Amino acid sequence: MKIKRRDFLKLSVAAGAAATVGKPALHAFAEEAKKAEVGELPGEWKPSTCQGCTTWCPVEVFVQDGRAVKVRGNRHSKQNDGFVCPRGHLSLQQLYDPDRIKTPMKRTNPKKGRGVDPKFVPISWDEAFNTIADKVMELRKAGEPEKYLLLRGRYTYMRDLLYDATTKIIGSPNNISHSAICAEAENFGAYYTEGMWGYRDYDISNSKYLLVWGCDPVSSNRMIPATIKRLGDVLDNATVAVADPKLNNTAAKAQEWMPLLPGTDGALALAIAHVILAEGLWFKEFVGDFKDGKNLFKVGETVDEAAFEEKETHGVVRWWNIAVKDMTPAKAAEITKVPAEQIERVARGMAKAAPNVAVWMGPGAAMQVRGGYAAMAVNALNGLVGGVDNVGGTLPSNKVPTSKMPKVDAYQDELAKKQAKMKKIDQRGTKAIPALNAGKSGGGVVTNNVPTGILNADPYEIKVAVGYMNNFAFSCSGAERWEKAMEKIPFFVHITTNAAEMTHYADIVLPGAISKYEKLAWVKQKQNRYAQCTLLQPVVKPMWDAINDETEFPWMLGEKLAERGFPNLIDYLKKEFKDPETGKEATNSKEFTEYAVKFYTQEMWNGKDVGGDKINGWAEFRKRGMWNSDPQPYKKRWGGKFGKDEEKDGKVTTTGTVSHKFEFYSETLKKALAGHAEKHKATVDEILEACNYTARGELAFVPHYEPPFRHGDAKEYPFTFIDYKSRLNREGRSQNAPWYYEFKHCDPGDVGHQDSLQINPVDADKLGIKDGDPIRVTSVVASIECVARLWEGVRPGTVAKAFGQGHWAYGRTAAKDYAKGVPRGGNNNTLMPFDIERLSGANVRNGGFTGVKIERI
């Protein structure tokens, strides 16, 4: 698909013309008193941070006469090189959205449900926090503070003040993050091969081969502006291959596109590994070699492990014997529908370019019902070609030298200490939901299982809940389960910028600040070999009275709890977060916010040599807006440093891999599964059966292929549904911005001002459907209505739709009829049923797990 230059110019002009939306009367490009050209007035570039996705770009905002009118990347950033993607510009319409929440409100209609008018009425901040404090104290006086629930959405690293400290001091274990709907299964794949639970960095500037798997790096997945800037050079200097069932932006430019069947990622990865091993093409400096130098990897043949001497890896021969030897390209071609010749070509190309190879794993390869092992298989390829911690490969991150959150123990009374240790509402760590974050049973969050706990009151009921920067009733698959769960919670507080779907179940609504423009906070991230700390700053004066959710909410609640005889929270915030420069305690929520940000970030600006940028004082830090680390060194974990043992109180604990090497046979997963099985008096095989995996025995400890699990019989629901992410999605928050619809055609195969389901013309012809026809799409759980878009970029038998549209709330643009709750388009998460990848706890949204049928309306 060609994007015309004038369309991009149009977007740039719109961003520059955002002075239009800087005034409450949204109708003028210039000042009322003077008809001046945009840009003629003097202005100032002010630093902040974009949170339109998880790239978290350092940015600068151009402010004229108190109005934000333009955005660019921070000139000091080594992460985005001073650039932003389209999301950075769209945020201007979020800031000046006329549908933003402008004042605290309370519900006056006790009935809750979709289509039910909450009958919200404005109230004062004082009334709002008095009501919230009374509800919290009711729980504590009843001896049941565990029935308080904190639901965290998009966050800054001020999160722990509300998410962790406030929840624990009240006395609840229920601080639930959004992380499992993001990419926990990705992290599972990395941890159980290389011992890193976190997102990888990609040194694509030095790559000779880039294999992108299950994502589109110019649209999503954590280094978007950097990839946009570099992709042209990468295409010139390296080979780019994409494994994805849908043609995305990167695939459209790549030398190789492998449109595999959804959910068959493990088979494709194993087949690539098979070619590399059978043809003797692995990177021997990292993996090692046969002792006599003769390659014994033969199709279908078992190899003696003693014949191979490994260097930085563990278990490559055992992996071959258990899972790889029989997965030939021909066999994988039958499973994936990717031609065997292409599989061989890609494998040989990767090996020839080794070790300057990056396999970029995205959620498409992992966020599947049985995606944990697929994620391991994809990441294992980085080990075979020696790209791990290497030039042009994948990298971990340098540390950002921030202070840790002070312990809360001294501020917890006996009730809080006892109840905060109770089981969590998301049921993590149960037999069928191991959630094995970093090797620990129940160590990970299971966000989308929270409705199960609430609806079944298992392990107990929830009576008071607080949510911020989230909209789980829209953003989680099986979304209607969240609606039913929210109906059941007696008292819910939502801190939000807009009246989202979740807001309609709230009893108290509090206006939240827009992160890029109105908050003071900090975040950390890594890209291009650099770690960074970047500030979010209030670059404009808020048009309405909104609060910083993570700092002002706990402060204001703490004050009210103190009035009711429980000063523990406010004492903690005052005493533990003094101004690092003066030693003063905060006296109000604004001071506390600044002191807390200074507390966390002080090592980067107080004169100590922590490496990276040298910043002289807090004032200079705020003026620059960010800190860059030194470049991440290569081969930092080579030499047996993929894990380490630590002894404390006579007990040895391992961080990273058990073998201290890159693991093709995962001793780390074996230990974690054995521990979880022992906890539940079961075998590992029984645990895997409960988790809906087919692996048994030794297969459980190596990357392997699991047949995809699908909701919907193929005869009744013949099409496999693909959910993908738009370049314009600010995590589902940009759909009340008119620019979102105007420029939607920037996504390959999509059309502006239309909610499209992409259908291959071959399939459409069989159904008698033409381009532009209104259609109904039905799964085993729900139906949605949208518009047919005939496009060759989806393989026959599959259909694809961008996540984002289908809001029945959020604003007059996002919804078709905001007042009546009629959605504009269809929400993918209404169509996709609830399911989770149980080993990690991740929400499922990929891997062909949803079958659908299509009919013309």
Side-chain angles (χ1 to χ4, degrees):
M1 182 189 72
K2 293 183 178 179
I3 304 299
K4 296 179 181 178
R5 180 175 179 270
R6 64 174 175 267
D7 290 329
F8 285 107
L9 292 174
K10 197 175 183 182
L11 179 59
S12 300
V13 170
T20 289
V21 293
K23 288 177 167 290
L26 310 167
H27 56 62
F29 275 89
E31 291 258 286
E32 293 175 1
K34 176 187 176 184
K35 293 184 178 180
E37 295 292 329
V38 172
E40 184 177 317
L41 295 172
E44 179 184 0
W45 287 103
K46 296 184 177 183
S48 191
T49 303
C50 181
Q51 286 197 295
C53 71
T54 48
T55 303
W56 288 349
C57 281
V59 299
E60 294 177 309
V61 180
F62 194 59
V63 178
Q64 290 179 315
D65 194 24
R67 297 172 295 181
V69 299
K70 193 173 183 180
V71 180
R72 70 182 183 192
N74 189 309
R75 71 195 83 176
H76 301 293
S77 175
K78 296 178 181 179
Q79 176 244 49
N80 64 11
D81 306 305
F83 294 91
V84 293
C85 76
R87 293 180 179 91
H89 303 294
L90 281 174
S91 63
L92 290 159
Q93 290 197 329
Q94 286 183 286
L95 173 63
Y96 296 118
D97 185 347
D99 293 329
R100 281 183 61 184
I101 302 294
K102 303 173 179 64
T103 185
M105 299 185 295
K106 71 177 180 182
R107 183 184 208 91
T108 60
N109 183 0
K111 186 179 179 182
K112 296 182 179 182
R114 185 194 287 212
V116 176
D117 184 357
K119 297 184 179 178
F120 289 128
V121 297
I123 57 173
S124 67
W125 287 99
D126 200 49
E127 181 180 349
F129 276 97
N130 277 329
T131 305
I132 299 167
D134 285 341
K135 293 294 183 181
V136 171
M137 291 305 297
E138 285 177 14
L139 293 182
R140 287 189 49 81
K141 289 176 181 177
E144 50 185 24
E146 74 279 2
K147 296 180 181 180
Y148 168 87
L149 168 65
L150 189 283
L151 294 168
R152 187 188 85 193
R154 173 54 55 226
Y155 59 89
T156 75
Y157 277 91
M158 304 302 285
R159 62 189 184 185
D160 290 340
L161 300 171
L162 175 56
Y163 170 73
D164 197 6
T166 300
T167 308
K168 287 180 177 177
I169 290 171
I170 287 171
S172 174
N174 288 311
N175 50 350
I176 304 295
S177 78
H178 79 291
S179 300
I181 69 171
C182 205
E184 289 298 83
E186 269 188 67
N187 295 335
F188 181 93
Y191 186 81
Y192 290 107
T193 49
E194 61 177 289
M196 181 180 71
W197 193 281
Y199 306 114
R200 284 70 56 210
D201 189 12
Y202 300 94
D203 188 29
I204 62 173
S205 294
N206 297 306
S207 296
K208 294 180 181 177
Y209 205 107
L210 174 63
L211 173 53
V212 176
W213 205 307
C215 66
D216 183 10
V218 301
S219 298
S220 62
N221 216 247
R222 296 174 180 81
M223 49 185 292
I224 297 170
T227 307
I228 292 173
K229 180 185 178 186
R230 287 165 173 76
L231 185 59
D233 290 338
V234 175
L235 288 163
D236 289 340
N237 301 320
T239 299
V240 177
V242 175
D244 198 293
K246 178 189 179 295
L247 185 73
N248 57 37
N249 292 279
T250 307
K253 300 292 185 181
Q255 288 92 344
E256 300 274 3
W257 174 40
M258 297 182 285
L260 73 168
L261 287 178
T264 63
D265 306 80
L268 180 58
L270 288 187
I272 293 172
H274 185 282
V275 174
I276 291 172
L277 291 171
E279 298 186 6
L281 302 176
W282 66 90
F283 189 66
K284 295 174 176 60
E285 182 184 339
F286 186 75
V287 181
D289 200 0
F290 286 100
K291 293 175 181 178
D292 62 2
K294 182 180 179 181
N295 184 16
L296 300 180
F297 292 128
K298 306 297 181 183
V299 177
E301 294 185 13
T302 300
V303 176
D304 181 4
E305 292 182 43
F308 197 100
E309 186 174 348
E310 293 187 75
K311 290 186 177 180
E312 303 294 339
T313 67
H314 173 81
V316 66
V317 174
R318 203 178 311 179
W319 181 38
W320 167 269
N321 291 338
I322 296 170
V324 182
K325 64 182 176 63
D326 297 318
M327 188 58 76
T328 63
K331 181 176 180 180
E334 293 178 4
I335 296 170
T336 66
K337 304 309 177 186
V338 176
E341 312 84 68
Q342 187 178 30
I343 296 172
E344 293 168 351
R345 186 171 62 246
V346 168
R348 291 166 185 156
M350 292 172 63
K352 184 177 180 180
N356 311 123
V357 178
V359 181
W360 189 320
M361 176 175 60
M367 305 292 279
Q368 308 173 9
V369 177
R370 296 169 176 161
Y373 290 106
M376 291 175 66
V378 172
N379 201 56
L381 298 177
N382 283 309
L384 278 184
V385 296
V388 181
D389 285 18
N390 214 341
V391 178
T394 63
L395 299 168
S397 176
N398 280 331
K399 298 289 185 182
V400 175
T402 54
S403 303
K404 293 183 178 180
M405 187 190 87
K407 293 183 178 181
V408 301
D409 306 52
Y411 300 89
Q412 287 179 295
D413 59 17
E414 291 305 311
L415 176 64
K417 288 179 180 178
K418 178 183 177 183
Q419 305 304 92
K421 294 178 181 178
M422 294 182 68
K423 293 180 179 179
K424 293 178 181 279
I425 196 65
D426 64 353
Q427 301 176 342
R428 66 184 75 178
T430 54
K431 181 180 178 180
I433 312 178
L436 299 172
N437 184 316
K440 181 183 177 182
S441 173
V445 65
V446 196
T447 313
N448 206 17
N449 201 51
V450 168
T452 305
I454 293 174
L455 291 169
N456 297 331
D458 181 11
Y460 40 74
E461 63 182 326
I462 294 297
K463 291 185 175 180
V464 176
V466 175
Y468 78 95
M469 202 65 171
N470 55 8
N471 190 19
F472 296 149
F474 181 83
S475 62
C476 287
S477 59
E480 291 186 6
R481 295 170 60 257
W482 275 95
E483 295 180 23
K484 297 300 180 184
M486 299 309 297
E487 289 178 23
K488 192 174 179 181
I489 298 175
F491 184 77
F492 174 54
V493 180
H494 204 203
I495 313 168
T496 181
T497 60
N498 289 64
E501 281 76 6
M502 211 161 166
T503 312
H504 284 255
Y505 298 90
D507 298 274
I508 296 288
V509 182
L510 301 177
I514 293 282
S515 59
K516 183 192 294 187
Y517 302 98
E518 298 172 341
K519 281 187 178 180
L520 177 60
W522 68 278
V523 295
K524 58 182 179 179
Q525 190 53 283
K526 57 181 180 288
Q527 280 94 32
N528 301 331
R529 294 183 63 201
Y530 293 91
Q532 64 173 25
C533 177
T534 174
L535 294 176
L536 293 83
Q537 301 197 73
V539 297
V540 294
K541 183 179 179 180
M543 293 181 65
W544 298 288
D545 192 11
I547 61 169
N548 188 325
D549 38 34
E550 294 170 325
T551 56
E552 292 192 271
F553 180 88
W555 179 277
M556 296 165 80
L557 176 60
E559 288 183 318
K560 292 298 184 181
L561 293 175
E563 291 175 6
R564 286 153 176 78
F566 186 69
N568 304 45
L569 177 57
I570 196 67
D571 286 350
Y572 171 78
L573 301 177
K574 286 182 177 180
K575 295 176 181 178
E576 300 297 335
F577 293 92
K578 297 177 182 178
D579 186 342
E581 292 183 300
T582 67
K584 292 181 179 179
E585 292 183 0
T587 60
N588 58 59
S589 63
K590 302 292 185 186
E591 282 186 354
F592 167 67
T593 299
E594 182 169 10
Y595 292 176
V597 176
K598 292 171 74 174
F599 169 84
Y600 279 114
T601 63
Q602 58 186 304
E603 296 296 309
M604 287 168 282
W605 53 262
N606 64 5
K608 292 184 179 179
D609 186 3
V610 294
D613 294 341
K614 303 297 184 283
I615 301 174
N616 186 26
W618 171 243
E620 183 180 330
F621 189 38
R622 290 201 67 169
K623 185 177 180 179
R624 283 175 52 95
M626 68 163 304
W627 170 90
N628 298 288
S629 74
D630 292 323
Q632 169 73 19
Y634 298 115
K635 299 184 179 181
K636 186 175 182 179
R637 293 181 294 169
W638 289 36
K641 298 176 184 176
F642 284 90
K644 63 180 180 180
D645 296 332
E646 295 180 354
E647 184 176 347
K648 185 177 181 181
D649 300 327
K651 184 178 181 181
V652 177
T653 58
T654 302
T655 303
T657 62
V658 170
S659 67
H660 299 183
K661 296 184 175 185
F662 187 100
E663 295 184 343
F664 296 113
Y665 180 91
S666 184
E667 302 287 357
T668 310
L669 181 56
K670 186 174 186 177
K671 180 181 177 181
L673 282 172
H676 183 74
E678 183 180 355
K679 172 181 170 182
H680 293 284
K681 295 181 175 56
T683 65
V684 170
D685 284 355
E686 288 171 337
I687 296 299
L688 290 172
E689 182 179 9
C691 293
N692 201 4
Y693 275 97
T694 65
R696 301 292 183 267
E698 287 286 275
L699 191 61
F701 313 126
V702 296
H704 66 269
Y705 169 63
E706 288 274 340
F709 181 87
R710 189 179 195 265
H711 291 271
D713 179 77
K715 290 184 178 180
E716 185 176 359
Y717 302 96
F719 297 98
T720 298
F721 182 80
I722 298 170
D723 167 88
Y724 71 94
K725 301 299 177 276
S726 168
R727 298 184 71 182
L728 307 180
N729 271 2
R730 291 183 59 83
E731 299 189 319
R733 299 185 183 94
S734 47
Q735 281 69 40
N736 209 45
W739 288 341
Y740 174 88
Y741 304 93
E742 183 169 357
F743 297 102
K744 193 65 177 67
H745 62 284
C746 289
D747 293 317
D750 266 0
V751 178
H753 299 285
Q754 180 173 300
D755 191 19
S756 304
L757 181 78
Q758 297 168 0
I759 309 173
N760 190 283
V762 172
D763 292 328
D765 185 61
K766 293 176 182 177
L767 296 172
I769 290 175
K770 297 180 180 180
D771 190 64
D773 280 351
I775 54 175
R776 180 176 297 108
V777 188
T778 302
S779 70
V780 295
V781 293
S783 295
I784 61 173
E785 295 181 1
C786 52
V787 179
R789 170 60 171 163
L790 274 57
W791 191 53
E792 296 85 353
V794 289
R795 65 173 306 131
T798 69
V799 293
K801 185 175 176 296
F803 165 73
Q805 297 189 56
H807 279 285
W808 54 267
Y810 216 84
R812 69 193 76 180
T813 303
K816 184 176 181 180
D817 189 328
Y818 183 34
K820 296 180 180 179
V822 178
R824 176 173 181 169
N827 179 11
N828 291 6
N829 286 315
T830 299
L831 190 67
M832 296 188 293
F834 159 71
D835 213 331
I836 52 177
E837 194 289 309
R838 294 169 180 270
L839 295 181
S840 67
N843 184 41
V844 173
R845 63 174 188 262
N846 301 114
F849 85 111
T850 303
V852 298
K853 57 185 177 182
I854 305 165
E855 57 185 324
R856 187 176 181 276
I857 300 175

